[in-house]
Amino acid sequence: MSESRSTSKSHDSFNQNIIKKQISDLFETDDLLNNPDYVRFNNCLKSWLSTTNLSNRNEKDLQLDFFQNCLKRYDQHIDNRLKYTDGFKGIISKALFDRLIPDFCLVDNYNSHVKSLSSGAITDFRDIRFAMVRRSTDDDDQFKYEASLQAFQDENEYLSQYLTMFFTADRSKFGFCRLEPLPDNIRIDNRLLGIGANAMVFSCSRINGQSNEYALKISNDSVQKEVSIYQQLYADKYRIVQVHPNAFLFLHPPGRIVSKENLLDNAHLIWNQIKKAHQRRILHRDIRRSNIIEIFNEKMNSNEILLIDWQSSMEFGSTMKYNGTLSTASKFILEELAKNRNSSLECLPVDDCVSFMKMILLELIAESFKKALSSEVQQGSFSGILLVYYEMKKSWKKKPPILFEVIDFLEKHRQHFNEDKLNAFLDQCLENRQSLFQLDNQQTDDNYFNQLTRQIFPS
């Protein structure tokens, strides 16, 4: 799962990041105006406006009057899908909206086991606007804010058209994404196996008379791509079954994060899985030790090493906003993000290889550097992450370990590696991994890797 960064937003940040749109751009007005619900609600609203003095009432009284004498008259059961939220202090709403708590919150199956995203109408009936808050579709750690511009001079005309659209438009206009229940035969245990910015993994079992323990991944996005990648790479070896648009079962006893010793001893096996994905034009983009597990193979009576979590993966040649790892990201990616965190990037196979080598490096360096790196990741400081790696390399008074030289070589020739050269370089590096993974290298080790780099790119 991709690394979590802080997503709390202040009141000022909310106002600075609003995407303002005309109401006509938020709703398909042609279809809406012919909707019987639109006409009926509009009549109720005009009646309420004609009998209500908007200027001599405080906001709280006005909102409650609107809820009881307009909305409830339009639909006496409207509280099944809409809540009056004045004074609501929920942790999530407070974190997202600060003082701009939604006056009315459209919901779907409120407080039931089936929930959806919600949208708020932030309004004081004078400076009225529609607002929607949702996670960005291409960066799960950024929130998108959309608000309506006031389109009419006449307050009642604007209020009439605006509120009618808001309360009668199809829920899909507000980003609703209904989460259907999981199948009845899946029982989630109390043990949380892993958590990230995009998903959680639980221990679970199937209610079918067997007591086998499995792993269930529940994501905030579709898991179809990830399931498809597992099928491409491993066929049915690990019995991965999609049980929900946002969840899949790993029909195998849960594994555990690989130990440092097994990571280093089996680095060549991990590289083979990365290489196999590259041969199918798939980039992982989230290579970290926490995404590599050990699972027990009963037939072989031994542990297997498996690279997991392909949720951040992308196809070769794709250009999109980056949502992969930061702690092991290549220098190129971090520098581009430091210029513009929302820029679209084309990741290359060499970026996965840099992440792979940095992952190994992080198992060898001092704990203080790991803590410093983790702090910069949590803050989302791209320049800070680059600085930690700079200080890491600088801390060696003599010649830095060969692993740094290998990473620098990959970074330097990022644009020049083709598939054959990249695979040959990594293959030969890992053939001499005992030397590669040492912090104090002998001259013979230096000679081996110097000769290797000259073979790949003769100068």
Side-chain angles (χ1 to χ4, degrees):
M1 292 165 282
S2 58
E3 293 158 302
S4 300
R5 276 85 81 189
S6 174
T7 55
S8 61
K9 300 287 182 182
S10 66
H11 181 238
D12 289 339
S13 176
F14 178 92
N15 286 310
Q16 291 168 4
N17 288 283
I18 289 174
I19 301 171
K20 293 185 177 180
K21 295 185 176 183
Q22 298 291 346
I23 288 181
S24 58
D25 294 328
L26 290 170
F27 303 105
E28 298 175 3
T29 54
D30 291 341
D31 293 337
L32 194 58
L33 296 178
N34 297 322
N35 187 332
D37 288 337
Y38 179 94
V39 176
R40 188 161 56 87
F41 183 88
N42 193 252
N43 289 335
C44 291
L45 182 58
K46 286 181 177 179
S47 175
W48 179 76
L49 287 170
S50 67
T51 59
T52 305
N53 188 333
L54 299 181
S55 60
N56 294 328
R57 304 277 294 279
N58 66 49
E59 181 182 349
K60 185 175 181 179
D61 289 345
L62 195 59
Q63 290 172 353
L64 188 57
D65 190 294
F66 171 69
F67 184 65
Q68 293 176 335
N69 297 317
C70 180
L71 294 177
K72 294 285 284 186
R73 288 188 178 181
Y74 161 69
D75 179 2
Q76 61 177 334
H77 301 297
I78 198 169
D79 52 351
N80 290 331
R81 62 184 181 90
L82 177 137
K83 295 296 170 182
Y84 175 61
T85 59
D86 177 67
F88 178 64
K89 303 298 182 183
I91 294 175
I92 295 177
S93 288
K94 187 175 181 181
L96 292 179
F97 292 101
D98 197 12
R99 293 188 300 275
L100 293 177
I101 299 299
D103 297 336
F104 298 99
C105 186
L106 287 171
V107 297
D108 191 11
N109 293 301
Y110 188 79
N111 274 347
S112 74
H113 66 290
V114 182
K115 292 190 177 182
S116 72
L117 305 178
S118 60
S119 301
I122 302 172
T123 169
D124 60 4
F125 290 90
R126 296 176 181 83
D127 181 22
I128 186 171
R129 63 180 175 179
F130 161 81
M132 176 168 65
V133 180
R134 58 180 175 177
R135 284 189 185 274
S136 168
T137 56
D138 46 14
D139 185 345
D140 290 311
D141 293 312
Q142 295 295 319
F143 288 92
K144 284 186 176 180
Y145 306 88
E146 293 183 353
S148 59
L149 293 166
Q150 185 157 338
F152 309 103
Q153 295 298 319
D154 183 87
E155 183 179 66
N156 282 4
E157 181 184 357
Y158 174 75
L159 188 64
S160 173
Q161 182 167 346
Y162 163 79
L163 285 178
T164 304
M165 286 181 177
F166 180 76
F167 288 113
T168 60
D170 184 85
R171 299 283 74 79
S172 64
K173 305 301 179 186
F174 304 129
F176 283 123
C177 180
R178 180 188 290 271
L179 179 61
E180 299 294 343
L182 291 166
D184 293 337
N185 67 335
I186 296 176
R187 182 180 63 202
I188 298 177
D189 300 331
N190 291 327
R191 189 157 67 97
L192 181 64
L193 301 176
I195 186 169
N198 307 308
M200 293 184 289
V201 181
F202 296 92
S203 171
C204 74
S205 58
R206 299 177 87 177
I207 306 172
N208 57 2
Q210 299 180 2
S211 58
N212 294 341
E213 183 183 11
Y214 304 123
L216 173 71
K217 180 171 182 177
I218 302 177
S219 173
N220 63 4
D221 201 356
S222 170
V223 297
Q224 184 174 355
K225 177 183 75 172
E226 190 170 5
V227 171
S228 174
I229 290 173
Y230 280 118
Q231 291 289 334
Q232 292 180 58
L233 298 180
Y234 309 112
D236 295 324
K237 180 178 180 180
Y238 298 108
R239 299 175 62 206
I240 291 168
V241 181
Q242 185 171 345
V243 295
H244 182 278
N246 292 63
F248 66 82
L249 265 178
F250 187 72
L251 290 173
H252 191 287
R256 62 184 180 187
I257 295 175
V258 67
S259 66
K260 172 184 174 179
E261 293 74 16
N262 284 340
L263 173 66
L264 299 180
D265 290 344
N266 295 281
H268 60 295
L269 299 179
I270 301 166
W271 162 238
N272 286 340
Q273 294 177 46
I274 298 170
K275 183 165 56 174
K276 186 176 182 179
H278 289 178
Q279 290 168 351
R280 286 160 175 76
R281 304 187 62 77
I282 300 168
L283 301 173
H284 189 281
R285 301 201 305 163
D286 197 12
I287 298 172
R288 296 176 286 130
R289 183 159 75 93
S290 58
N291 282 337
I292 299 173
I293 62 171
E294 303 175 34
I295 56 175
F296 186 71
N297 186 322
E298 293 183 355
K299 292 183 180 179
M300 302 295 293
N301 196 32
S302 62
N303 283 331
E304 290 186 23
I305 306 298
L306 181 64
L307 176 62
I308 61 169
D309 197 353
W310 297 84
Q311 193 169 19
S312 299
S313 65
M314 63 183 286
E315 293 183 2
F316 284 19
S318 301
T319 300
M320 62 181 67
K321 284 179 66 176
Y322 185 75
N323 67 342
T325 179
L326 292 181
S327 59
T328 62
S330 68
K331 182 180 178 181
F332 169 82
I333 289 173
L334 292 170
E335 287 178 341
E336 291 299 307
L337 292 174
K339 296 175 189 174
N340 180 3
R341 67 171 56 238
N342 295 314
S343 61
S344 294
L345 302 174
E346 180 184 359
C347 295
L348 302 176
V350 69
D351 295 312
D352 268 357
C353 296
V354 170
S355 291
F356 174 57
M357 289 297 174
K358 283 188 172 182
M359 172 188 68
I360 294 170
L361 176 64
L362 293 179
E363 297 304 310
L364 305 174
I365 49 93
E367 193 66 31
S368 59
F369 287 118
K370 296 180 187 179
K371 291 181 179 179
L373 187 64
S374 177
S375 175
E376 299 298 340
V377 168
Q378 290 300 318
Q379 296 175 55
S381 174
F382 312 117
S383 57
I385 296 169
L386 287 167
L387 182 60
V388 171
Y389 275 103
Y390 172 78
E391 295 292 341
M392 200 185 295
K393 184 177 180 180
K394 187 180 174 183
S395 66
W396 269 268
K397 296 179 181 179
K398 297 181 180 180
K399 191 176 186 296
I402 289 174
L403 198 48
F404 279 104
E405 304 303 321
V406 169
I407 292 171
D408 287 347
F409 184 75
L410 290 168
E411 301 268 21
K412 179 181 178 181
H413 297 283
R414 181 180 185 273
Q415 295 292 342
H416 306 125
F417 273 108
N418 60 31
E419 183 178 353
D420 291 338
K421 286 183 179 292
L422 185 61
N423 290 345
F425 181 64
L426 267 291
D427 286 343
Q428 292 181 66
C429 281
L430 291 169
E431 282 181 10
N432 198 14
R433 58 184 176 276
Q434 296 301 325
S435 299
L436 181 65
F437 299 164
Q438 291 179 9
L439 295 183
D440 295 315
N441 297 113
Q442 304 299 318
Q443 186 61 46
T444 53
D445 300 327
D446 291 334
N447 293 341
Y448 175 85
F449 286 98
N450 288 335
Q451 182 180 358
L452 175 58
T453 56
R454 287 193 296 269
Q455 289 174 354
I456 300 297
F457 290 112
S459 55

